Amino acid sequence: ATAEDSLVVDGTHTNQVEATFSSWPTDGRSDTLNDSADFTVDAASLSKSDGGSTGVAVGEIVTYTLSIASPAGTVRSLAVTDTLPAGMIFDVGSIVYGDLPAAAFQTAGPNDGSAPTTLSWDFGDAAMNGTAGVITFTARIADMAGNTAGTVRTNNSTMTYRNAAGEEQTRNASDSVTIAEPTMALD
């Protein structure tokens, strides 16, 4: 059997069979037999990458990639939240989706580096095809007094969804970048 994308991920499902039979007319016997087998569909997971950024200077761009891995099926009530720390600015319009359905997207916070900025995506019931769904966006290091060499800025992400039993599941991922002095050359 091939799993349809309507199969809810992260849980146990039961496949049932029923057979009804009757014997030759001489004994007139009939009966119904029932049996079932359980199978489990794996959970969804979240990972995050900054593309290997090391030592980013004020004004530099960091490209974040959020990967949602899931077996083929439906991830119910899928929502992702990414919180950029103070000291980083979200580049509006930089979001690219790969293998994910359309989402309701919102931002909250000043998005000027003075305080955290929250990005949130609500996918609803997302049909996944077994390949990772990807969200890519960019943020830059803000030009502000707190962004000095050696300062670490940690970007946190949370994914929530409901498993096959209807229970909310949470997955977290984070990524840190270290601020470096800009490289300058004088002639």
Side-chain angles (χ1 to χ4, degrees):
T2 301
E4 298 282 323
D5 62 11
S6 59
L7 183 70
V8 177
V9 303
D10 194 359
T12 301
H13 299 274
T14 302
N15 182 15
Q16 297 183 345
V17 63
E18 179 180 293
T20 302
F21 71 92
S22 58
S23 64
W24 289 96
T26 54
D27 66 7
R29 182 172 173 237
S30 66
D31 202 351
T32 300
L33 302 174
N34 295 300
D35 202 358
S36 64
D38 291 340
F39 64 97
T40 302
V41 179
D42 291 337
S45 64
L46 175 69
S47 61
K48 179 180 206 144
S49 168
D50 64 13
S53 294
T54 57
V56 292
V58 168
E60 279 194 71
I61 299 290
V62 179
T63 300
Y64 288 107
T65 301
L66 302 172
S67 295
I68 301 167
S70 173
T74 296
V75 182
R76 290 193 305 186
S77 304
L78 176 62
V80 176
T81 302
D82 189 279
T83 304
L84 287 168
M88 296 190 81
I89 300 171
F90 166 61
D91 285 334
V92 177
S94 67
I95 300 171
V96 177
Y97 300 99
D99 293 328
L100 281 170
F105 174 71
Q106 293 182 350
T107 61
N111 200 33
D112 61 6
S114 64
T117 299
T118 302
L119 316 176
S120 58
W121 296 267
D122 185 353
F123 294 96
D125 292 347
M128 304 290 284
N129 62 11
T131 59
V134 176
I135 302 169
T136 302
F137 66 92
T138 60
R140 62 188 156 83
I141 305 299
D143 185 4
M144 55 187 292
N147 280 346
T148 57
T151 302
V152 176
R153 297 293 182 194
T154 302
N155 177 240
N156 296 305
S157 299
T158 301
M159 175 180 76
T160 60
Y161 68 94
R162 296 204 173 274
N163 66 9
E167 301 159 334
E168 186 169 277
Q169 304 297 303
T170 302
R171 304 290 185 263
N172 296 304
S174 64
D175 186 87
S176 297
V177 294
T178 302
I179 297 173
E181 293 288 349
T183 301
M184 300 176 75
L186 298 175
D187 289 327

